[in-house]
Amino acid sequence: MKIAIFLDTNIVESDFKMAGRNFLDLFNAKSTVFNDTYFKLYLTQTNFYEIEKHYRNKIRSSLNAYQNAINEVNKYTNHIDKIDIALLKKQLVEEYTKKIKKIFEIYTPSPRAYEKALERMYLTKMPFRDNKEELKDAIIWESIYDFALKNRNCNIYFISNNNKDFAVEDLNGKSYLFHEDFDTLDGVIKYKKNIKDFLTEFNYLYHFTIDGITEIQDIITKYVYEKLEMNHGFENFLDDFFYNGSFSFESLEGWGTEPYIEKIIDVSMDNDVEILQSDEYCYVPIKIDCRISYSVEISNPGYEPGDEDFLVLGPISEVFTIGALVYYNIEEYCVEYLDDFKIEFKEYYKEKY
């Protein structure tokens, strides 16, 4: 059996370095579970160009911020040397491109794929919906379909968290299937929302069977109360959520800034998501109810030369529920880290806590 795995841009960009547990599991499965199988990881040409572009933008933004920080420090000291931003960016992008090409085969489709993508747009077939006009997702699908037509002896998987454009829930509401507008060649092409769903199908990950869930839950709870704010991924997630969100203070709209956890209220298992495990790890979905303090930053409406460009209002204190996935090391009896964060406001906690 030959297996071809196409990853969407959003999967790679969830972990640009491809060094997190999801990718480590995928790479390990490639060399163990599929050791007697023709197994290859692919990117469509469109995904490759998109990932490269986004990586370049991220690097440019990060290096510019780094250079600005150096310039600011050098106003008071000469201890930090400037760097050649353009040269370093070029080197980093070239290194990343080589890494991508080493891990993935880049598939360039025939011209037919682009013609079919345009045809989808004019026929308003998925992924075109809600007046969507962007061709990218249609070209990605038609590229995979083009590959399938040329490789009839392959089982093909497309992994993407963009289920709105590609898939529908199955009858049980627990997984996704391609929308009927996509010809899967009688099931040869399959959709998976994430790497875990793919690995579960091949029993690299399997449903939780470990005894002592209470003990594990106690260890997780202790970790959250003592070390959550030291989790680098959580800190970045919290900053991104507030900085990129829209918040108000006394009818003034702005973006969030300076968030921190005042109090953790409760840690519980997320019973809507199944617990999975591999031979080494247990993947436990949890919910964290907590009170978060943050401020609202706005452009100064009465700005005059010499004034501050922005005003910081607040702080505001509200209760949120944070969803996360715990990576629990079975052999070491410890939590290694948390990721897959998501957050929502909890109105019913507002007065109680």
Side-chain angles (χ1 to χ4, degrees):
M1 178 177 62
K2 296 183 179 181
I3 299 175
I5 315 300
F6 283 85
L7 299 191
D8 201 358
T9 300
N10 49 65
I11 300 298
V12 176
E13 292 186 359
S14 68
D15 178 9
F16 269 110
K17 294 191 292 185
M18 295 175 282
R21 193 70 249 166
N22 285 328
F23 276 96
L24 292 179
D25 280 341
L26 180 63
F27 299 150
N28 188 54
K30 185 176 185 292
S31 60
T32 55
V33 177
F34 303 103
N35 56 354
D36 294 324
T37 304
Y38 179 76
F39 176 107
K40 278 193 175 182
L41 295 172
Y42 286 88
L43 293 174
T44 68
Q45 187 180 54
T46 299
N47 289 122
F48 170 70
Y49 287 147
E50 188 174 38
I51 292 166
E52 186 180 48
K53 176 185 175 182
H54 292 175
Y55 182 81
R56 182 182 293 107
N57 291 341
K58 291 281 189 183
I59 290 297
R60 180 176 61 244
S61 176
S62 298
L63 289 177
N64 286 342
Y66 177 68
Q67 186 66 72
N68 289 338
I70 290 176
N71 292 340
E72 189 67 24
V73 171
N74 281 341
K75 289 180 181 179
Y76 313 101
T77 178
N78 293 319
H79 287 180
I80 303 180
D81 295 330
K82 292 185 177 181
I83 59 174
D84 187 333
I85 293 292
L87 178 60
L88 182 55
K89 184 188 78 172
K90 182 174 182 291
Q91 291 174 341
L92 291 173
V93 172
E94 287 178 352
E95 288 174 6
Y96 190 73
T97 299
K98 288 179 182 177
K99 179 179 179 178
I100 287 287
K101 289 183 175 179
K102 184 177 180 180
I103 295 173
F104 299 97
E105 295 277 343
I106 312 302
Y107 181 69
T108 303
S110 64
R112 169 204 165 281
Y114 301 96
E115 296 169 3
K116 288 293 185 180
L118 279 171
E119 183 179 303
R120 277 185 174 274
M121 183 175 69
Y122 289 116
L123 295 175
T124 61
K125 288 186 174 182
M126 294 291 278
F128 296 100
R129 59 181 180 82
D130 301 331
N131 298 318
K132 175 179 176 177
E133 295 182 354
E134 188 179 21
L135 276 169
K136 174 180 66 67
D137 288 331
I139 294 172
I140 290 169
W141 162 257
E142 293 297 345
S143 297
I144 294 171
Y145 189 76
D146 183 77
F147 176 92
L149 293 177
K150 295 176 181 177
N151 296 269
R152 293 283 189 171
N153 60 340
C154 257
N155 285 332
I156 300 164
Y157 289 82
F158 177 48
I159 304 178
S160 170
N161 66 22
N162 184 12
N163 55 285
K164 290 183 179 180
D165 285 341
F166 290 109
V168 294
E169 286 187 328
D170 66 7
L171 294 177
N172 296 321
K174 293 185 177 180
S175 60
Y176 290 88
L177 305 171
F178 271 114
H179 187 278
E180 62 182 3
D181 284 351
F182 300 104
D183 177 11
T184 64
L185 301 176
D186 294 326
V188 168
I189 312 172
K190 294 183 179 180
Y191 173 86
K192 296 295 177 184
K193 190 175 181 181
N194 51 56
I195 292 173
K196 285 187 177 61
D197 286 350
F198 168 73
L199 293 176
T200 302
E201 178 162 327
F202 288 90
N203 295 321
Y204 179 85
L205 296 179
Y206 41 93
H207 299 297
F208 181 76
T209 57
I210 300 177
D211 295 328
I213 186 60
T214 301
E215 180 184 354
I216 293 174
Q217 189 171 2
D218 289 343
I219 292 171
I220 290 172
T221 300
K222 185 173 186 292
Y223 176 93
V224 171
Y225 273 94
E226 295 180 357
K227 299 182 179 180
L228 177 61
E229 289 192 279
M230 292 184 283
N231 185 292
H232 183 65
F234 174 72
E235 181 183 6
N236 290 339
F237 163 78
L238 203 61
D239 287 341
D240 287 345
F241 173 79
F242 281 96
Y243 184 77
N244 293 314
S246 177
F247 302 90
S248 61
F249 182 86
E250 296 180 354
S251 77
L252 295 173
E253 293 288 331
W255 55 93
T257 185
E258 302 173 355
Y260 70 92
I261 294 180
E262 285 185 37
K263 177 184 179 182
I264 294 175
I265 299 167
D266 186 46
V267 180
S268 60
M269 310 287 278
D270 185 347
N271 295 322
D272 294 330
V273 183
E274 289 184 301
I275 303 175
L276 297 175
Q277 72 178 87
S278 64
D279 292 340
E280 300 174 339
Y281 288 87
C282 183
Y283 305 92
V284 185
I286 63 170
K287 291 182 177 181
I288 306 166
D289 292 324
C290 58
R291 179 168 287 283
I292 297 177
S293 175
Y294 65 96
S295 299
V296 176
E297 190 169 355
I298 65 170
S299 298
N300 187 349
Y303 174 80
E304 293 182 359
D307 291 346
E308 293 290 337
D309 293 341
F310 304 101
L311 298 178
V312 177
L313 310 174
I316 300 170
S317 180
E318 293 176 321
V319 174
F320 295 83
T321 289
I322 298 169
L325 188 68
V326 178
Y327 290 75
Y328 179 83
N329 189 311
I330 296 170
E331 294 183 356
E332 300 295 331
Y333 302 99
C334 70
V335 174
E336 286 204 355
Y337 62 95
L338 278 64
D339 72 359
D340 290 354
F341 296 104
K342 50 186 178 293
I343 190 169
E344 63 183 57
F345 175 64
K346 300 298 278 189
E347 180 68 33
Y348 61 82
Y349 274 136
K350 193 169 185 179
E351 299 300 328
K352 185 174 180 181
Y353 294 93

